[in-house]
């Protein structure tokens, strides 16, 4: 579905709100930083596999840049390297669903088995479900905060349950925090580095893809304790060795600048404004959508089977979206009629989508 729907959108001229890809460039400050970085001859050669030191320092979040941070080719590589470092045949990893599509394949690629922990209601909590899903083979639990596709941060009780698993059972909490900067104004992101005390039982994965509207840059990272980091780096050096050095250098330069906070705040504010506008437009069509705390996506109940609705809309040349069901490994009745729209688009793109939806409902 993740491949089929976007392909159909291109073939039928539909507005593609299925993929979380911006249809505009990154902030001018990032493009300027790249031009400056590229003018330095030294950035066009290999750097140490752990990544450009200045970038490691910028994303360390209190960890040691030298021993606890690894720069990767996007969050996806960080996830795959982490799973290969932590898992092997016979092991199990809990995956909290609805889940981003890369988690289970990364676990299987390591020879392990993904074990779903399904949230049966988008408004519910998985805190009470984790312990019952664990076996003697469970080594890892994978979560996402803020959460694609739900758009919310994990709750206090969910973090407490994760911390308890780590402390009592020695299970490593792998937290994908790619959307960490897209929280409401005045809200501080709280993630695994604060919620799980032992550095050897936690891995933070993140990237610049969403916070800097640069999904094609493929600059991500993994932050973990020294022991875990050595294992992650041992995999990473045989995968990409090091991501594109000019891009690493540009991101490091922007992050070190006084205006960096304003840049990411502007990206977040733009997303909030456009998501709010699109939700109101959908409400006018009788499609109720609640704007999430991290509104990269909107979830909408379309009143019928979402998979059939998505097929009909894209084939009519209208709008491409994804059914929420694709984020689960089995049918969940509460998700059957729910569609996910990616709203990381220009205002005119969303306006065109709203017009087409109005004409085809």
């Amino acid at each position: 579905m993740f491949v089929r729907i976007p392909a159909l959108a291109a073939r039928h001229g539909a507005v593609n709100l299925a993929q979380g890809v911006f249809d505009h460039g990154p902030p001018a400050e990032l493009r300027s930083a790249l031009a400056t970085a590229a003018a330095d001859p030294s950035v066009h050669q290999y750097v140490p596999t752990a990544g450009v030191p200045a970038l490691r320092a910028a994303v360390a979040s209190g960890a040691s840049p030298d021993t606890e941070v690894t720069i990767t080719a996007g969050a996806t590589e960080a996830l795959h390297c982490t799973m290969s470092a932590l898992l092997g045949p016979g092991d199990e990893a809990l995956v909290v669903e609805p889940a981003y599509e890369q988690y289970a394949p990364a676990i299987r690629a390591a020879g392990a088995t993904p074990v779903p922990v399904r949230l049966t209601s988008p408004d519910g909590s998985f805190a009470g479900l984790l312990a019952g899903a664990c076996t003697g083979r469970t080594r890892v639990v994978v979560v996402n905060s803020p959460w694609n596709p739900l758009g919310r941060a994990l709750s206090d009780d969910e973090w407490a349950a994760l911390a308890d698993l780590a402390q009592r059972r020695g299970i490593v909490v792998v937290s994908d925090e790619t959307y960490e900067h897209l929280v409401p104004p005045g809200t501080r992101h709280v993630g695994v580095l604060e919620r799980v005390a032992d550095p050897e039982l936690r891995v933070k994965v993140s990237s610049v893809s969403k916070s800097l509207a640069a999904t094609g840059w493929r600059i991500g990272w993994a932050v973990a304790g020294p022991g875990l980091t050595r294992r992650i780096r041992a995999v990473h050096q045989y995968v990409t060795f090091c991501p594109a050095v000019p891009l690493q250098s540009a991101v490091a330069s922007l992050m070190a600048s006084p205006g960096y906070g304003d840049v990411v705040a502007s990206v977040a504010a733009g997303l909030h404004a456009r998501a709010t506008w699109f939700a109101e437009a959908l409400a006018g069509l009788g499609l109720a959508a609640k704007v999430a705390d991290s509104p990269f996506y909107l979830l909408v109940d379309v009143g019928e089977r979402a998979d059939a609705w998505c097929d009909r809309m894209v084939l009519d040349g209208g709008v491409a979206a994804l059914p929420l069901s694709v984020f689960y490994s089995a049918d969940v009745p509460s998700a059957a009629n729910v569609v996910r729209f990616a709203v990381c688009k220009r205002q005119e793109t969303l306006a065109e989508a709203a017009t087409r939806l109005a004409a085809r409902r």
Side-chain angles (χ1 to χ4, degrees):
M1 185 71 76
F2 289 100
V3 174
R4 186 173 68 85
I5 290 292
L8 285 175
R11 191 177 311 144
H12 293 272
V15 177
N16 186 1
L17 303 187
Q19 289 178 295
V21 177
F22 295 85
D23 65 349
H24 55 82
E29 293 87 348
L30 183 59
R31 288 181 275 126
S32 176
L34 176 59
T36 301
D40 178 356
S42 68
V43 305
H44 300 282
Q45 309 305 324
Y46 292 131
V47 296
T49 186
V52 169
L55 182 54
R56 281 186 273 140
V59 305
S61 301
S64 165
D66 294 329
T67 62
E68 298 183 302
V69 181
T70 307
I71 306 302
T72 58
T76 299
E77 194 219 336
L79 287 164
H80 278 261
C81 289
T82 297
M83 297 309 164
S84 293
L86 295 177
L87 298 170
D91 292 338
E92 295 177 350
L94 305 184
V95 179
V96 178
E97 295 182 349
Y100 174 54
E101 71 268 21
Q102 288 284 349
Y103 302 152
I107 292 163
R108 292 191 186 100
T113 301
V115 176
V117 177
R118 296 190 186 95
L119 196 68
T120 55
S121 167
D123 297 323
S125 169
F126 63 76
L129 305 176
L130 291 176
C134 288
T135 71
R137 296 180 296 276
T138 306
R139 302 288 179 264
V140 168
V141 55
V142 188
V143 294
N144 186 196
S145 186
W147 192 341
N148 170 23
L150 301 183
R152 68 167 176 86
L154 300 190
S155 63
D156 287 341
D157 68 321
E158 288 167 333
W159 277 121
L162 291 165
D164 181 65
L165 277 189
Q167 180 181 1
R168 288 195 305 108
R169 298 180 181 241
I171 293 171
V172 178
V173 179
V174 178
S175 181
D176 177 359
E177 300 179 15
T178 298
Y179 300 88
E180 61 181 308
H181 294 296
L182 305 181
V183 295
T187 301
R188 189 176 71 88
H189 169 73
V190 177
V192 71
L193 300 186
E194 293 183 58
R195 295 292 192 164
V196 176
D198 188 341
E200 299 298 336
L201 293 174
R202 67 190 188 201
V203 181
K204 173 186 174 180
V205 170
S206 193
S207 80
V208 302
S209 291
K210 307 304 192 293
S211 59
L212 291 177
T215 59
W217 281 45
R218 313 315 298 140
I219 300 295
W221 51 88
V223 182
L228 287 183
T229 294
R230 283 193 295 272
R231 294 162 68 181
I232 291 168
R233 289 179 180 179
V235 179
H236 165 68
Q237 69 177 334
Y238 295 111
V239 177
T240 58
F241 188 78
C242 67
V245 180
L247 302 182
Q248 291 191 58
S249 298
V251 173
S253 174
L254 178 59
M255 286 186 164
S257 70
Y260 172 64
D262 291 336
V263 172
V264 293
S266 177
V267 173
L271 281 168
H272 279 263
R274 293 191 297 276
T276 299
W277 181 91
F278 193 56
E280 292 173 352
L282 292 176
L285 303 177
L287 297 172
K290 179 183 177 182
V291 178
D293 290 339
S294 179
F296 206 84
Y297 307 102
L298 285 183
L299 296 183
V300 181
D301 188 327
V302 294
E304 61 178 276
R305 289 284 306 186
D307 49 2
W309 187 93
C310 288
D311 278 345
R312 189 174 76 252
M313 285 297 155
V314 71
L315 291 173
D316 283 348
V319 177
L322 287 178
L324 184 60
S325 60
V326 302
F327 297 90
Y328 288 93
S329 58
D331 287 340
V332 174
S334 62
N337 294 353
V338 180
V339 167
R340 190 201 76 170
F341 291 101
V343 293
C344 51
K345 313 294 180 178
R346 294 170 296 160
Q347 181 70 37
E348 52 265 41
T349 302
L350 296 176
E352 175 62 20
T355 299
R356 293 187 180 197
L357 288 171
R360 288 169 173 80
R361 272 195 53 78

